[in-house]
Amino acid sequence: MSSLTESRSVTGRQGGRRMPRLFGEVGPALPAFLLIVFFFVAPVVALLLRSVLEPVPGLQNYETLLGSATYIGVFANTFIVSTVVTAAALAIGFPVAWALVVMPMTWSRIVFAILILSMWTNLLARTYAWMVLLQRTGLINKMLMAVGLTDEPLTLVNNLTGVTIGMTYIMLPFVILPLYGVISNIDKAVLRAAALCGANRWQALTRVLLPLAAPGMAAGGLMVFVMSLGYFVTPALLGGTSNMMLAELIAQLVQSLTDWGLGSAAAFVLLLSTLVLYGLMLKFFGTSRLGGQ
Amino acid sequence: MLLDFDRLGWWRWALGGFTAAVAAFLLLPIVFIAALSFGSSQWLIFPPPSWTTRWYSELFADQRWLDAALNSLKIGLVVTVLSVVIGLAASFALVRGRFRGRETLKALFLTPMILPVVVLAVALYAFFLRLGINGTMTGFVIAHLLVALPFSILALTTALEGFDKSIEDAAILCGASPFEAKMRVTLPGISAGLFSAAIFSFLTSWDEVVLAIFMASPTLQTLPVRIWSTLRQDLTPVVASVSTLLVLVTIVLMLLVALIRKGLSKP
Amino acid sequence: MTVPFLKIDGIRKEYGPVVAVEDVNLTIERGELVTFLGPSGSGKSTTLYILAGFEKPTLGDIRLNGQTLLSTPSHQRNIGMVFQRYTLFPHLSVGDNIAFPLKVRRKSKADVTERVREMLKLVRLEGYEDRKPAMMSGGQQQRVALARALAYDPPILLMDEPLSALDKKLRDELQHEIRRIHHETDVTILYVTHDQEEALRLSDRIAVFSKGRIDQVGTGPELYADPATRFVAEFVGDSDFLSCRVTHSQGGRANVVLGGDFAVEGVPLHDERGTPGEGALLLRPERIDLSRSEPTGWRGLPVRVDDVTFLGSNVHVIAQTGWGETVSVRLPFGHEHISGLSRGDEAWLRFDPNEAHVFV
């Protein structure tokens, strides 16, 4: 405490008189602030305004968007794919995060390295790999046919199956890393206590470990869901033209059809859903801290 | 007991096996493209009939690929410098400042990271069209800076929070000016954070696709845009060779981050 | 011969090259409260973990009523345990925590409710049923942990330094509670601690752990009056050690010489196979008498007073022998030779050789 007041007086003497103290403290944030306001807040607000101003003022863009079966189909695709991807990422991610907490260091380091590498490898490179892997003559189809799971090559790409596989692949690290954090904070003595209380492994898993990991599952799951809602590259490359997702629709409306009003309205729907979900997340995990320490 | 590895019984084999499978799943595409890039088949048959470096030769012979890579590098470096400088200043304000609304300001700075990029891309596209900077170097730098800055601010606020301000105060009491004290004491103290901020800013810009697709003009393309437009036409193995090189760049940069963290954590 | 209730038989535990427990043997009767006393790293906790089934011993066996426990996994051992850290399930209420072991045993709802009420009464936390653990103090959490561990009526309760995170006042209070609960339930308790006072206060018997072995097992008074090793003497009660030379030994008694010329005869001898002839004489500070004048009728050990500290009911005197060793003496307040005693004074010490011990 004393060092804090001391430092205040030291810096205060230097910069005190000429500019107000507040400016000295907020000032350095100004370039970032201007950048964000001018090139982020302003353009986004402008875009949203276009959704109610173009071609004529009114809500007709939203009416079109919510009234047409085509667009409802796009919303449905987006919602279904995001839900499936989230569920799959959680189901695969939980055991992996758990294993990372308990397995010997040397192994977990290797898995971590792979996770980080896959996360930071160029998105297009990863998506390209899946385009090739999933094509009719691709490796996955060959393997499926070799083990006799199918006689005919399956259509795994240019449809929502491809999108789901590719997106699950991309989202996995975003579930595993936060879940790892939550599980490694659980005291293993609590699970020992469960065992001594008579809980077998299955009971300890369902009644203790999973409930304690639930906040992490919810947070990670929500994040993946939100990210999936607005994902563009992977659906555009692995999906088909007949099964569009929301981000692609926005891009197409703006770029190919130059229908700015409708495109902006679609962007606003996406933005609003994202913000609402983030708000939920904050409300959920900002106020109540489940799981104790 | 579920968190004691040696008391998991057969579950540990199940868990370990599953994790190994997932790790393989995560690694598969990366290894696969690397192998593909040396395969001789134009139609990406795997395993390939024979091995070749033909796709790499084609890649390096094509001026358009080289230009795109050069553009990406230039934009990436400018973005890195700006992102670290602006991010550092902002982080000082966010960590050291005692003004109201600090948390809100930090949240504002981080929003470009969590909002759907496609919304930002469309908004910027419209805005840049009006400003007349769409498809220019300036446009690219601003767009990439917006998404790189949050990573820089995250890394730098964390580093600054972990740095004891009384060390800087001690330097000032020793007679250094506040600026001198920051340059000679604080910045070396948070150098690991600065390196992470720089590397993640560069990687974010270097790999950025969505903003770039909207920003790009026929005359100015980044590497990801070039890959994107190529992929929309066909799955040429040349893309496999570019991708392999990109993976290499990532590995090098990640190793760098790991080395720097390791080196700096030692006293 | 009857089968002992619980037998720890030649337990050894190695972690790679490190030997955590070397050779532990102990027999425990039903209903006893036995403490494992020792410094950290002496193997007491590891032994407890082996009993709980968290660790497998490298060698040895644990038998409950003659049946080995080692092949039974933790969750089927039916043993209760209270941990050093708070291990209540943070997502469950106090009532649900206590109900947990009953529910996994598929007890009927009525039984569970009834038992939870009983247990809350036992640990005096009636009315706290719906609280979350995070809303309770450390002492309350450990009471709940105790209730949870006793809910299924285990024959054995393990306690691993359960009070070490609490402050002194709460610790005293809970020690009292544990003794009460032990009397009320007749459960056999194995209690790990590094605090000799806690061990003396709680236990029927104490097992003193040192370097992966049990040095001695006995009641508090036994350990104090007749320590088997120098380590036990140091760990239980206060102690003075003076280096000595053994001149003669026979039948468990020895004659020794302190500082060249002060002979003490007939001291109980404990052989620890140290350097032959060299030994350490143990005195208890509270069993030493002090005189200001050269006594007549007995030969006193001459010392010079270094420091006198008043500690309420008694007075602590630090004195130095002629050859430079330090002895601390504790005298009752009001002892005839205390008043006016100060640094630099000469004094003579007297002790009963029968109460001293020589460790060789």
Side-chain angles (χ1 to χ4, degrees):
Chain A
M1 212 64 250
S2 77
S3 95
L4 204 110
T5 40
E6 223 165 66
S7 74
R8 182 73 77 244
S9 70
V10 172
T11 31
R13 202 191 309 142
Q14 307 282 342
R17 219 149 293 152
R18 251 187 255 144
M19 51 179 137
R21 185 189 65 92
L22 190 65
F23 184 74
E25 287 189 354
V26 188
L30 207 60
F33 184 72
L34 290 178
L35 182 82
I36 302 273
V37 168
F38 200 65
F39 289 107
F40 177 68
V41 178
V44 169
V45 171
L47 184 74
L48 301 183
L49 284 178
R50 290 179 89 159
S51 74
V52 287
L53 295 175
E54 286 183 21
V56 286
L59 290 174
Q60 72 283 359
N61 285 323
Y62 292 94
E63 280 163 19
T64 317
L65 213 51
L66 301 174
S68 122
T70 320
Y71 298 136
I72 294 291
V74 172
F75 288 129
N77 283 344
T78 311
F79 183 81
I80 291 167
V81 169
S82 300
T83 309
V84 174
V85 166
T86 305
L90 282 174
I92 301 171
F94 174 77
V96 174
W98 175 17
L100 280 172
V101 173
V102 295
M103 68 173 33
M105 266 282 253
T106 31
W107 298 7
S108 66
R109 281 221 177 121
I110 296 171
V111 180
F112 265 118
I114 292 173
L115 271 175
I116 304 283
L117 176 66
S118 121
M119 204 167 139
W120 281 94
T121 292
N122 189 291
L123 180 62
L124 285 169
R126 287 178 285 167
T127 309
Y128 168 74
W130 283 109
M131 289 168 83
V132 180
L133 280 167
L134 293 173
Q135 61 185 344
R136 286 185 75 83
T137 54
L139 193 59
I140 302 286
N141 262 321
K142 274 191 187 163
M143 290 196 321
L144 289 178
M145 281 157 76
V147 293
L149 279 173
T150 173
D151 298 328
E152 289 273 293
L154 302 173
T155 314
L156 296 172
V157 82
N158 291 330
N159 56 21
L160 291 183
T161 315
V163 176
T164 307
I165 295 174
M167 299 245 304
T168 305
Y169 172 84
I170 283 156
M171 295 301 170
L172 259 180
F174 294 100
V175 168
I176 295 174
L177 293 178
L179 257 184
Y180 170 80
V182 171
I183 298 176
S184 62
N185 273 333
I186 299 173
D187 191 341
K188 66 176 167 191
V190 171
L191 284 135
R192 289 176 165 186
L196 273 191
C197 280
N200 61 32
R201 284 182 297 219
W202 184 250
Q203 288 168 322
L205 174 66
T206 53
R207 287 166 181 249
V208 182
L209 188 59
L210 274 173
L212 289 181
M217 305 266 273
L222 210 52
M223 196 167 87
V224 164
F225 186 77
V226 172
M227 282 170 74
S228 306
L229 284 183
Y231 229 63
F232 175 65
V233 172
T234 309
L237 290 177
L238 287 172
T241 35
S242 54
N243 281 306
M244 220 182 258
M245 281 177 63
L246 187 50
E248 283 173 275
L249 175 70
I250 297 170
Q252 209 179 56
L253 285 173
V254 169
Q255 264 193 321
S256 317
L257 307 173
T258 58
D259 188 342
W260 280 96
L262 203 54
S264 309
F268 185 63
V269 171
L270 176 56
L271 189 68
L272 196 68
S273 338
T274 307
L275 288 178
V276 166
L277 287 171
Y278 272 120
L280 270 181
M281 187 145 67
L282 275 183
K283 199 181 162 203
F284 233 18
F285 305 109
T287 50
S288 78
R289 294 193 61 222
L290 300 156
Q293 305 113 332
Chain B
M1 308 296 280
L2 290 187
L3 292 177
D4 293 284
F5 191 60
D6 49 351
R7 306 301 286 158
L8 272 170
W10 66 266
W11 278 31
R12 94 170 109 151
W13 302 112
L15 212 53
F18 186 78
T19 304
V22 173
F25 171 65
L26 287 171
L27 207 52
L28 168 74
I30 299 171
V31 175
F32 178 70
I33 359 176
L36 211 59
S37 72
F38 292 103
S40 61
S41 161
Q42 171 81 51
W43 312 111
L44 303 162
I45 295 187
F46 196 89
S50 66
W51 303 98
T52 174
T53 53
R54 182 181 146 203
W55 314 115
Y56 288 90
S57 326
E58 266 186 34
L59 174 71
F60 286 108
D62 190 338
Q63 192 57 39
R64 289 170 305 173
W65 281 109
L66 298 181
D67 286 343
L70 200 63
N71 287 333
S72 272
L73 187 66
K74 277 191 220 159
I75 294 166
L77 289 177
V78 177
V79 167
T80 304
V81 172
L82 288 176
S83 169
V84 171
V85 171
I86 297 176
L88 182 65
S91 301
F92 265 107
L94 290 174
V95 174
R96 301 278 180 84
R98 288 289 169 273
F99 52 90
R100 283 194 339 146
R102 210 158 39 107
E103 287 302 313
T104 320
L105 193 63
K106 187 171 179 184
L108 176 71
F109 286 170
L110 299 185
T111 18
M113 191 164 73
I114 60 163
L115 282 194
V117 200
V118 74
V119 174
L120 178 61
V122 171
L124 270 184
Y125 177 49
F127 197 59
F128 283 1
L129 280 178
R130 206 150 290 182
L131 290 182
I133 56 171
N134 207 52
T136 65
M137 204 61 133
T138 321
F140 267 111
V141 167
I142 293 173
H144 285 187
L145 186 56
L146 281 172
V147 285
L149 194 59
F151 286 98
S152 169
I153 289 181
L154 263 188
L156 290 170
T157 46
T158 312
L160 268 181
E161 271 156 13
F163 181 82
D164 188 353
K165 184 171 187 304
S166 41
I167 299 173
E168 190 180 307
D169 291 342
I172 293 175
L173 289 172
C174 285
S177 73
F179 181 72
E180 232 179 329
K182 282 192 177 62
M183 294 305 289
R184 301 175 71 150
V185 177
T186 312
L187 292 195
I190 58 165
S191 53
L194 285 168
F195 279 118
S196 311
I199 287 173
F200 286 112
S201 295
F202 180 80
L203 260 184
T204 307
S205 167
W206 174 258
D207 283 341
E208 212 299 315
V209 199
V210 183
L211 294 169
I213 292 168
F214 283 85
M215 257 3 79
S217 66
T219 48
L220 188 62
Q221 284 194 336
T222 60
L223 198 52
V225 176
R226 176 99 193 106
I227 301 177
W228 168 269
S229 42
T230 310
L231 280 185
R232 298 231 101 174
Q233 287 155 23
D234 66 313
L235 296 177
T236 162
V238 176
V239 173
S241 60
V242 189
S243 300
T244 308
L245 293 175
L246 283 176
V247 171
L248 271 182
V249 172
T250 310
I251 292 177
V252 168
L253 290 179
M254 287 296 124
L255 282 179
L256 210 60
V257 172
L259 278 179
I260 287 164
R261 286 199 181 143
K262 205 173 176 186
L264 289 172
S265 66
K266 277 182 204 148
Chain C
M1 212 178 97
T2 56
V3 176
F5 175 63
L6 179 66
K7 189 164 173 59
I8 302 174
D9 192 4
I11 289 295
R12 179 182 179 87
K13 176 69 184 174
E14 297 166 9
Y15 297 98
V18 183
V19 182
V21 176
E22 208 171 300
D23 180 20
V24 166
N25 295 282
L26 187 64
T27 306
I28 291 149
E29 296 306 320
R30 180 187 291 276
E32 262 194 309
L33 198 167
V34 177
T35 42
F36 291 1
L37 176 66
S40 62
S42 58
K44 57 190 193 312
S45 290
T46 309
T47 307
L48 204 71
Y49 290 164
I50 290 171
L51 278 159
F54 303 153
E55 307 277 3
K56 269 203 163 81
T58 314
L59 283 176
D61 195 8
I62 305 234
R63 281 193 296 277
L64 182 64
N65 295 318
Q67 302 262 298
T68 182
L69 262 186
L70 293 183
S71 48
T72 314
S74 288
H75 69 273
Q76 287 166 7
R77 284 197 187 186
N78 205 31
I79 284 178
M81 180 156 179
V82 180
F83 294 75
Q84 181 173 10
R85 290 179 303 218
Y86 307 136
T87 57
L88 295 182
F89 307 124
H91 61 295
L92 298 180
S93 70
V94 165
D96 287 339
N97 260 284
I98 301 172
F100 183 91
L102 305 167
K103 284 184 180 162
V104 299
R105 284 175 171 75
R106 311 251 180 261
K107 293 276 190 285
S108 78
K109 209 163 178 188
D111 286 355
V112 172
T113 320
E114 173 56 28
R115 188 67 179 158
V116 169
R117 189 174 308 129
E118 250 174 65
M119 284 296 119
L120 282 170
K121 187 158 174 266
L122 179 72
V123 297
R124 300 188 170 161
L125 282 175
E126 294 109 317
Y128 283 84
E129 206 166 335
D130 297 326
R131 292 253 190 131
K132 279 284 171 76
M135 290 159 64
M136 305 186 79
S137 71
Q140 288 171 328
Q141 288 194 45
Q142 289 302 62
R143 280 170 192 258
V144 179
L146 193 56
R148 183 181 67 184
L150 291 171
Y152 44 103
D153 226 351
I156 299 170
L157 176 64
L158 309 177
M159 302 184 89
D160 182 17
E161 309 212 22
L163 309 182
S164 61
L166 306 177
D167 63 38
K168 177 143 177 35
K169 196 170 159 283
L170 264 175
R171 213 157 53 216
D172 291 351
E173 192 184 310
L174 273 160
Q175 281 166 4
H176 183 74
E177 289 282 277
I178 290 167
R179 275 209 74 86
R180 177 181 63 80
I181 289 167
H182 179 229
H183 288 312
E184 284 178 20
T185 58
D186 265 345
V187 64
T188 307
I189 300 182
L190 300 185
Y191 192 105
V192 162
T193 180
H194 62 265
D195 179 356
Q196 57 149 303
E197 201 184 308
E198 185 165 272
L200 291 167
R201 216 182 262 221
L202 284 173
S203 7
D204 300 324
R205 283 194 303 154
I206 300 172
V208 183
F209 276 69
S210 166
K211 292 175 187 156
R213 290 170 175 276
I214 295 179
D215 269 22
Q216 191 175 7
V217 188
T219 64
E222 278 166 15
L223 298 180
Y224 175 77
D226 198 13
T229 66
R230 184 177 166 149
F231 179 84
V232 173
E234 274 179 294
F235 218 77
V236 180
D238 294 329
S239 49
D240 283 317
F241 281 99
L242 293 173
S243 54
C244 63
R245 200 154 44 78
V246 180
T247 51
H248 174 79
S249 64
Q250 194 176 32
R253 298 263 167 175
N255 297 344
V256 300
V257 174
L258 297 175
D261 66 340
F262 190 83
V264 187
E265 289 177 358
V267 187
L269 172 72
H270 304 269
D271 190 1
E272 289 185 24
R273 279 176 237 124
T275 325
E278 297 295 310
L281 183 76
L282 162 74
L283 303 175
R284 296 292 189 188
E286 57 278 7
R287 305 297 296 164
I288 302 175
D289 197 10
L290 177 143
S291 167
R292 297 279 292 277
S293 51
E294 170 106 51
T296 49
W298 49 275
R299 194 170 166 230
L301 177 65
V303 291
R304 186 169 298 281
V305 174
D306 261 358
D307 196 13
V308 181
T309 322
F310 171 68
L311 289 171
S313 58
N314 56 52
V315 175
H316 197 190
V317 178
I318 310 264
Q320 214 176 74
T321 60
W323 60 94
E325 278 187 298
T326 302
V327 188
S328 69
V329 180
R330 207 150 55 213
L331 300 166
F333 182 69
H335 186 277
E336 54 173 330
H337 289 286
I338 287 177
S339 68
L341 189 71
S342 64
R343 187 182 155 82
D345 288 351
E346 280 197 321
W348 284 262
L349 302 182
R350 181 164 78 147
F351 51 86
D352 182 350
N354 285 313
E355 289 182 350
H357 296 269
V358 178
F359 297 94
V360 180

